[in-house]
Every structure is written in C-alpha cells, then in structure tokens.
Amino acid sequence: MRQQRTKAVVLGLRGLVLLVALAAAATACQGVAMPTLPPALPSSTYQPTPATGTPAPAAEAPAVAEGVVQPVAQDAVSAAGTAGVTAPPGFQTPDGTGAERLVQPTAVVPLQFVFPTPIAYAPPANWRPPVLSVPLAVRPQDHFWFARPIASDSVNYPLGSYRYGANYFGQMNIHAGIDIDAPPYTPVLAAGPGRVVWAGYGLFNFQLGRIDDPYGNAVSILHDFGYNNQPLYTVYAHMIAHNVFVGQTVKTGDVIGWEGSTGNSTGPHLHFEVREGNNGYYNTRNPELWIAPYAGWGVLAGRLETAGGNTIDAAQIDIYDTTGNKVHTISTYGPKIVHGDDVWKENFVISDLPAGNYFLLASIAKSATETETVTGEVSVIAGQTNFVVMQDTAGVVGNSPPNANNPPAFLPTYTPSYTPTPTNTPTITPTRTPRPTPTPTNTWGPPRTATPSPTQYLPIMP
C-alpha cells in the first residue's frame, strides 16, 4: 500500500515539472517576431520577410512600358462604369475597396484600313485587246477569215506608215501587203489551214534559190477555203528561216518560220499578203480586210473619189478622235499594183480602230501649189467593216459599198484540189544521171519533195 502511494506522488511531481517547463518555454517565445504574410501578390513577386526581424528592403517599382495604363485609386463600381461594364448585383471586393488592384481599361480603337484613291492610268499606246476568233462575218460583206500571223504576246498589228497600197508618202514602192514589226526571231504562224506551196528564196519570180529575191526567205500557203470560187493564198516574207516544206499540211497557228530581215528589208519585220485567184504579185488584196479585229474595235474602209466616181490615188487622210486629237495618218492606194476588194471597191483601209466617232480630213493635190481638203464624220462599230464614200467638194456622200445589193456568199466556197505540182510552183528539170547501184545506201535527212527548198536554220539566240 505504502509503495503505491509513493509511485503516485512521484508521477504527480513529474507532471508538475513538465507543466512548469512548458510555461517557461512559452514565456521565452513571446520576445521573438513571427513572420507575417504580405497582401496577395502574384507568386512571381512574393519575397518572405527575414526571420531576424529586420524589415525587408523596399522593392523597386517595375519599369512601365510606354502606353501601359497604370492603376487608379477608384472603387470597383466606378472603374467598371468607366470601362462601360455593368457590375453584377452584390459585387464587392474582398476588403471592401480593392482600389489598388483595379486597372482602368482604355477605350478600344477599332481596326482601320486606309486605301489609296484609285488612279485611272491611260493604257499604253501599243496596248491592244484580245483578238476575235475566226472566221468572223457580222455582215455578209465581211470576210475576217484569217488569224493574225503573229501571236498576241507581241506586236501583231500593221505598221501605220506603210499600209497596203501606200508608197511611204512617195519614198518607196507601192506596198502589196502589210508589215508587222515584231521583234526579231518572233515565231510566224499560219493564218489559216492549208498546204505549203512555196518555202525558201525566189518567190517574186518563182526562181527557187534566188538569194537576191525581194521577198527574201518566204513561205506561201494555199488555203483550204476560197472566196467567190477563187483560191486564196497567204504570203509570209523576210523570215530569217522557215520551218516547213512544200506539200506540208498546216493548221491555223502552226509555226512556219521566224521573223527576220531577209530580202529587200530595212529592218526585222514580217511582210504579210493575201492573194486571190492566183499566187502572184499582182493578185493581192488588203490583208486588213481579212484578219480578225480586236474585241471592241472595228475596221474603217472607204473610197475617196472625184465627183465623177473615179478614185483619187495617193491622197493623205488624217483621222481625228472626238477630242480633236490626230490619231492616224493614212493614204489612199497608189495606182496599178494593188486592188480594191471585190465587194467594197475601196481605196483606203485602216483596221484596229476603237469603236466610236471620228473626223476625217483628206488632202487632195490639185496642182503643185494647190491642195483641196475634204472633211467628214464617220462612226466605227466594233467587229465589222465600216464603209464611207468621200468626194472632193462634197465630203461624205454615203456609207454603202458599190455593190451592196449583191454581196458575196457568207462562207468560203472554194475547195482547192491537191495536185502534185501547184500552179506557179517551180518544178525540177530532170537531168541525165547514172542509175543507182543495186546496193542501197543509208541517207540521213528529210524526204525529198517535188519542189526542194534550201534549208535555213534558225540561228542560236544569245
């Protein structure tokens, strides 16, 4: 019994000592500063206060980029009102104010585009619209059956100063075709389907291989269609080289050669002719009445004649637009060499005129010192031949061709028959040669044709 009491007293003393120790420890801790948490900040800017009780150094204010909006001292409701935002019912910051954490947003500037004022530039002088498709005949008298022999990616319109029937204002021979001054080596295209009846030098006199021929290296095509039961031919002259042989069948647009300056030529260009009935120099017609015009443009043909109806040769005609600007100067046909169309009987033509009204002024030489002028207004309708008759002392007296009541057939009517030797194509004169040996030999080269032509090679361009 006595031992149990003794154990109880010992345990009680131990508990008392423990309580006293705990009280002493609590008293010692009252003099130590405890760390405090700062206001809520982003985790990247939080730095705890040192436990030694030394106040933390003031953090430097972060650099503010130009244009960044700074906090403002205003309550949440007014800040929301400034931003155009309606606060929800019962909205309140955690501490009742929260003004130091509210940022006043700036007004949103809508995205803006600034477009320059469009400027309408005038097209360049040599610009042309797309060419109309062939065959084309808006009126029964029209016959735009040939495509242009030069593609539209290059100059493919006639040289204005030396058109069909002109003599370059008295300085050159009467012109039996048109000149197209595209760059050298420009591909020359077949104006229509047909068969090659000439390829090489000597076309003017049909003397094959004659290097001094005025046409130079030339190609002539007999076409698959004709006009008024007459065959039609086209001629392509002054080429640097040709790409076809006699008897070869070609289609519209086939490359038959390359533009050059062979023969009687003052510079690189293509001389293009249309021949009717016979493949000869004196059987030409004006190509500008046969090649298709540009879209939105037309052709103007006419007769400048005396009061008695006789044509006036080599007269100058100035063409003005509605603003009074001179746009072209042409001349009437010279004598003997060239011919008017079977229907139009014209003695001047200018193709590729934009549709619209024009003013004509013709100068007729009465003597070495006297000149008479004839004026008149004309209208050009796109896609067709527009005709006008002008007489000296009277001006414009009509707009119908002489035989408009009896037009030719609308479609081509001539179908040529293919013969081994076409008309006016030189033939080979047979000569006595030894018979070939029975053992054949290999000959490398093109097959022989009935009318051989000298081979011309296209030079290598730099």
Side-chain angles (χ1 to χ4, degrees), residues 23-363:
T27 303
C29 292
Q30 290 179 357
V32 180
M34 299 299 292
T36 59
L37 296 177
L41 292 175
S43 59
S44 61
T45 60
Y46 171 69
Q47 295 180 355
T49 304
T52 58
T54 304
E60 296 182 0
V64 179
E66 184 179 355
V68 177
V69 180
Q70 296 300 306
V72 295
Q74 64 181 42
D75 58 71
V77 177
S78 62
T82 303
V85 179
T86 303
F91 175 79
Q92 187 176 4
T93 57
D95 56 358
T97 60
E100 68 279 1
R101 270 178 259 153
L102 290 177
V103 178
Q104 179 181 0
T106 59
V108 178
V109 179
L111 186 62
Q112 297 180 354
F113 296 93
V114 178
F115 296 98
T117 303
I119 301 176
Y121 292 99
N126 60 350
W127 177 85
R128 297 293 187 274
V131 180
L132 297 175
S133 300
V134 294
L136 174 66
V138 176
R139 305 168 64 182
Q141 297 86 0
D142 288 335
H143 39 65
F144 301 118
W145 295 345
F146 290 119
R148 304 202 174 214
I150 299 293
S152 295
D153 59 352
S154 184
V155 175
N156 65 348
Y157 47 87
L159 182 66
S161 58
Y162 200 32
R163 297 180 183 271
Y164 180 81
N167 60 3
Y168 202 73
F169 309 106
Q171 301 180 36
M172 301 183 70
N173 296 327
I174 302 298
H175 204 200
I178 59 174
D179 288 344
I180 302 175
D181 57 340
Y185 311 112
T186 299
V188 177
L189 313 178
R195 182 169 55 93
V196 177
V197 295
W198 184 272
Y201 287 81
L203 175 62
F204 184 79
N205 292 310
F206 293 97
Q207 297 179 5
L208 186 62
R210 184 167 177 173
I211 303 300
D212 61 347
D213 187 87
Y215 283 107
N217 195 344
V219 168
S220 180
I221 299 175
L222 171 63
H223 291 282
D224 293 344
F225 51 85
Y227 183 69
N228 284 347
N229 293 319
Q230 296 293 321
L232 288 174
Y233 301 83
T234 52
V235 171
Y236 315 77
H238 304 313
M239 294 189 294
I240 187 65
H242 62 269
N243 191 42
V244 292
F245 55 87
V246 173
Q248 178 178 343
T249 300
V250 295
K251 303 184 299 297
T252 303
D254 285 352
V255 177
I256 61 174
W258 294 268
E259 183 179 312
S261 185
T262 57
N264 291 354
S265 172
T266 58
H269 70 280
L270 173 69
H271 175 85
F272 179 70
E273 292 183 8
V274 174
R275 296 177 174 181
E276 179 185 335
N278 192 11
N279 191 19
Y281 174 74
Y282 296 96
N283 295 87
T284 61
R285 300 293 186 270
N286 195 325
E288 295 190 67
L289 293 172
W290 292 88
I291 56 176
Y294 299 107
W297 295 28
V299 178
L300 176 63
R303 283 176 61 89
L304 179 62
E305 60 185 25
T306 64
N310 298 319
T311 57
I312 301 175
D313 299 332
Q316 179 175 311
I317 302 177
D318 297 324
I319 304 176
Y320 298 83
D321 60 17
T322 54
T323 62
N325 295 322
K326 184 194 299 187
V327 293
H328 292 285
T329 296
I330 61 175
S331 63
T332 59
Y333 298 165
K336 299 179 181 180
I337 304 299
V338 297
H339 306 276
D341 187 78
D342 295 353
V343 175
W344 302 111
K345 306 295 183 183
E346 86 293 340
N347 69 340
F348 69 87
V349 174
I350 178 171
S351 61
D352 304 338
L353 280 176
N357 297 324
Y358 295 89
F359 180 81
L360 306 182
L361 189 151
S363 300

Side-chain angles (χ1 to χ4, degrees), residues 436-443:
T437 59
T439 304
T441 58
N442 293 329
T443 301

